[in-house]
Amino acid sequence: MTDQASQRAIIHAPPEQCFAVAADFARYPEWANDIKQANVLTRDADGRGGEVEYRAAAFGRSTTYVLRYNYGSNPLRISWRLMRGDLMRRLDGEYEFAPAADDPGSTEVTYYLSVDLSVPQPGFVKRRAEARILHTALGELKAAVESGA
C-alpha cells in the first residue's frame, strides 16, 4: 500500500533561491544528512538534473535508488519519480515553491511524498519513516537555503 503525505514550511529566501538549492542535486550530500552520494546521470536541455542516482542511509542500512526529475511548465516546481531502488517500489514526490503570502521575500515550500516500501512494514513504522523523510527534507532544505549553501 502506498502512503502519501505533504508538509509545508516557510523559508526566509526568495522562491528562485530555494528552487536553485533544491535542484542542485550533486550538492545534496553537503546538506542532506541521509544522502551519502548523489550522481547526476542525465541532464535535460536546460542543464538541470534529469536522472540522479543516490546512495543514502535508510531504515538503518544503506540504500541506492535512481530518481527521474521533471520540471514541467512551472519553473518553481520540481517533481520526481522512482526509476529503480533496492528498498522502495515507489518514492515519488514534488517540491512546490511559492512566494509566502504574509512574509515578503520568503517562500512557502510544500513537499509532497508518496512512498511504497518493497518489504511490508507495520503502518506505524511506515508513518514514522514518512514523517522523518518529510521533516528532514524540509528542515535540511530550509537550513541549507537560509545559510547560503
Side-chain angles (χ1 to χ4, degrees):
M1 179 175 175
T2 302
D3 289 321
Q4 299 177 354
S6 66
Q7 189 169 329
R8 296 177 195 269
I10 298 295
I11 297 179
H12 301 291
E16 295 78 13
Q17 183 180 349
C18 298
F19 178 89
V21 172
D24 190 357
F25 309 114
R27 294 190 65 195
Y28 276 27
E30 296 174 21
W31 57 265
N33 290 328
D34 289 342
I35 304 296
K36 304 306 177 197
Q37 187 174 7
N39 296 314
V40 178
L41 303 175
T42 65
R43 295 192 178 274
D44 69 8
D46 295 322
R48 302 173 297 196
E51 286 193 6
V52 180
E53 180 179 53
Y54 294 96
R55 188 174 58 80
F59 307 107
R61 60 175 277 205
S62 181
T63 182
T64 301
Y65 55 94
V66 175
L67 300 179
R68 177 177 290 154
Y69 289 90
N70 184 337
Y71 303 90
S73 61
N74 182 343
L76 299 181
R77 224 179 254 258
I78 303 171
S79 65
W80 59 89
R81 297 280 177 258
L82 179 69
M83 301 310 297
R84 62 183 177 276
D86 55 4
L87 290 181
M88 298 153 286
R89 285 189 291 237
R90 185 174 192 170
L91 180 63
D92 303 343
E94 179 178 305
Y95 278 118
E96 181 180 310
F97 306 98
D102 54 353
D103 192 356
S106 292
T107 302
E108 180 178 31
V109 181
T110 306
Y111 183 76
Y112 302 94
L113 185 65
S114 180
V115 178
D116 189 10
L117 301 174
S118 297
V119 178
Q121 298 287 327
F124 77 93
V125 172
K126 290 192 323 187
R127 284 186 297 279
R128 190 172 357 148
E130 178 182 273
R132 178 189 157 119
I133 293 169
L134 287 168
H135 176 76
T136 301
L138 282 175
E140 291 179 350
L141 175 64
K142 177 180 173 68
V145 172
E146 291 179 354
S147 72

